[in-house]
Amino acid sequence: TLYNDLDREVSLVIAGVLSDTVPIAPGGSRTYSFTAPAAGTYLFHDGVNGELGRAMGLAGPMIVMPADGSNRLYSDGPAFDRQYTLVLHELDSRVNLAVASGGSPDLADYEPNYFFVNGLSYPNSTADDDTLISMNVGENVALRFVNGGLITNPMHFHGYHVKVATRNRAIETGVIDKDTVLVGVDECVDVILPCDQPGDYPLHTHYVPGVTANGVYLNPHGGALLIMSAA
């Protein structure tokens, strides 16, 4: 059930699952029903306001696990010991200010100046169980990247290599070890990280402004940057 506390209509769309849904008026609510689709990572978003809705944060993840209850990315797919869902998003403060004043800004010159993972920036991302990637040597860790924003994020790993398993639930065939994984707009990218050494290592976007806050690098905040901690 979606409750609309905003000043404009919104609706719920789940890529590949739920589309052409009836909008909800401001102050209203609506219950949407659907059959759980195949196991995998899905993006949901507002179906009324287009890119502006996404720019304002109206997007998120839906995770469907295999029907047999196994810890796998999809039925008979790669197994994992633990998993993290990481929603990538950004904010152009000019857009937010324009909407707050009642306008509908043009996104042609969209240039975000704040960057988040699960709504958090570094160092706040290191104090939350959903964004501090904690693991043990010998484990396989599933990371589900969901791009809810309007820019592409090349996610770069220090200390580890990962194997891309799926992109929008399509199975990758030429799997190779990577230290940078491209997560495009509207994409859900699932990877397996074999944890093969202890230590603390950063994971961040290689889009350079993405590790800044309003143009300032890591002082005191640093955008879409996480810490992977292995014992």
Side-chain angles (χ1 to χ4, degrees), residues 15-32:
V17 180
L18 194 63
S19 61
D20 298 324
T21 52
V22 178
I24 308 165
S29 66
R30 183 173 296 277
T31 297
Y32 301 97

Side-chain angles (χ1 to χ4, degrees), residues 3 38 42 57 59 87 100 102 104 109 115 133 145 153 160-161 185-186 192 202 222 231:
Y3 298 88
Y42 296 79
V87 180
S104 295
D109 61 346
F115 306 85
I133 299 172
F145 293 107
N153 284 281
Y160 304 103
H161 288 82
V185 177
D186 291 331
I192 295 291

Side-chain angles (χ1 to χ4, degrees), residues 3-7 25-28:
Y3 298 88
N4 184 7
D5 292 331
L6 303 178
D7 63 354

Side-chain angles (χ1 to χ4, degrees), residues 14-15 32 41 44 54 63 73 94 101 108 110 149 159 181 196 209 220 222:
I14 305 173
Y32 301 97
T41 306
F44 69 78
R54 296 275 294 278
I63 308 303
L73 289 174
R94 300 169 305 165
S101 64
Y110 182 71
V181 175
D196 56 9

